[in-house]
Amino acid sequence: NAGVTQTPKFRILKIGQSMTLQCTQDMNHNYMYWYRQDPGMGLKLIYYSVGAGITDKGEVPNGYNVSRSTTEDFPLRLELAAPSQTSVYFCASSQDSNEQFFGPGTRLTVL
Amino acid sequence: AQKITQTQPGMFVQEKEAVTLDCTYDTSDPSYGLFWYKQPSSGEMIFLIYQGSYDQQNATEGRYSLNFQKARKSANLVISASQLGDSAMYFCAMSEGPKAAGNKLTFGGGTRVLVKP
């Protein structure tokens, strides 16, 4: 099992550009999440999904969109990148256990 | 109001000694879960321990134990016999509501631990 994988690992964007952060899990988990971590801070929930076709907003959804067409994939879309979106982005998944499995993160810089 | 508060930004601990990391939480939901995660300098998030609001006993996982005081709304992490590899950032987190809605975590600001040889 690869667990939760995220691509890319690093990315630099110019203001106004768009991109999609990819997240895939191979554990057949129903629940998936996107968090962001600003420097020196804890993680904040952006969006989450309780199953394919179902998504909902977290604490900081503005400027992002998600989709969940399959159980495995949960991509995060940034439409008009802004410097405030410079952060490390973590995807995670969970099922019946209490543990939430995190991907390795994507470090995004917007200049 | 902050839902999860970690008041210790950083602390030193001597190798082989125990250390307690403080965490207080705020929720009006009777069903909630409390989590601790470790984040080493490499950046990954490592799950350490979980405590459910209805659990009668304090959770333990190896050298990690959670001192759960429900009335005081605190969920302190105790690391026994500290090792150099325990040097990392530690986050307390909470999920609220039934598990069927997913463990949407709210994180504290973290405590950085440095273990001295």
Side-chain angles (χ1 to χ4, degrees):
Chain A
N1 277 359
V4 179
T5 56
Q6 293 183 237
T7 56
K9 286 188 168 53
F10 304 93
R11 183 74 186 266
I12 298 175
L13 280 183
K14 294 182 179 177
I15 294 172
Q17 287 186 321
S18 61
M19 76 164 294
T20 298
L21 282 67
Q22 301 291 345
C23 174
T24 300
Q25 53 93 7
D26 62 359
M27 296 172 282
N28 203 32
H29 287 172
N30 281 332
Y31 305 108
M32 295 189 74
Y33 316 82
W34 274 106
Y35 297 89
R36 61 176 284 175
Q37 184 179 27
D38 297 334
M41 309 283 282
L43 284 66
K44 293 187 177 181
L45 182 66
I46 306 172
Y47 270 95
Y48 67 97
S49 169
V50 299
I54 307 170
T55 63
D56 207 346
K57 295 176 181 178
E59 184 184 352
V60 288
N62 290 347
Y64 307 94
N65 277 302
V66 293
S67 59
R68 184 97 183 268
S69 56
T70 66
T71 299
E72 294 78 22
D73 300 307
F74 191 39
L76 177 73
R77 178 87 177 156
L78 283 73
E79 288 296 347
L80 291 169
S84 60
Q85 293 177 305
T86 293
S87 192
V88 179
Y89 291 83
F90 287 97
C91 179
S93 72
S94 67
Q95 191 57 30
D96 298 320
S97 77
N98 297 309
E99 182 174 356
Q100 201 162 118
F101 295 83
F102 282 81
T106 293
R107 187 174 295 274
L108 176 67
T109 303
V110 182
L111 300 173
Chain B
Q2 291 280 357
K3 290 208 169 189
I4 295 286
T5 302
Q6 295 181 253
T7 56
Q8 306 152 309
M11 51 197 309
F12 289 97
V13 59
Q14 201 66 40
E15 193 179 8
K16 299 179 186 175
E17 291 186 350
V19 60
T20 298
L21 308 184
D22 295 340
C23 173
T24 57
Y25 60 92
D26 183 27
T27 181
S28 56
D29 200 312
S31 176
Y32 56 90
L34 297 156
F35 303 74
W36 278 92
Y37 279 84
K38 173 183 178 182
Q39 187 176 44
S41 56
S42 51
E44 72 266 32
M45 297 293 289
I46 302 169
F47 169 77
L48 295 178
I49 198 166
Y50 166 84
Q51 180 85 42
S53 59
Y54 296 117
D55 293 343
Q56 295 297 311
Q57 295 200 330
N58 286 346
T60 60
E61 289 286 350
R63 293 187 299 111
Y64 305 107
S65 60
L66 200 152
N67 184 1
F68 181 44
Q69 298 188 42
K70 197 169 184 176
R72 297 179 61 184
K73 294 190 173 179
S74 76
N76 298 340
L77 177 71
V78 180
I79 307 173
S80 62
S82 296
Q83 302 172 354
L84 296 178
D86 294 334
S87 294
M89 196 77 164
Y90 289 82
F91 291 100
C92 180
M94 177 175 66
S95 66
E96 297 170 273
K99 219 188 257 191
N103 283 333
K104 303 180 291 294
L105 299 178
T106 300
F107 284 81
T111 296
R112 184 170 299 282
V113 173
L114 186 60
V115 180
K116 298 187 293 183

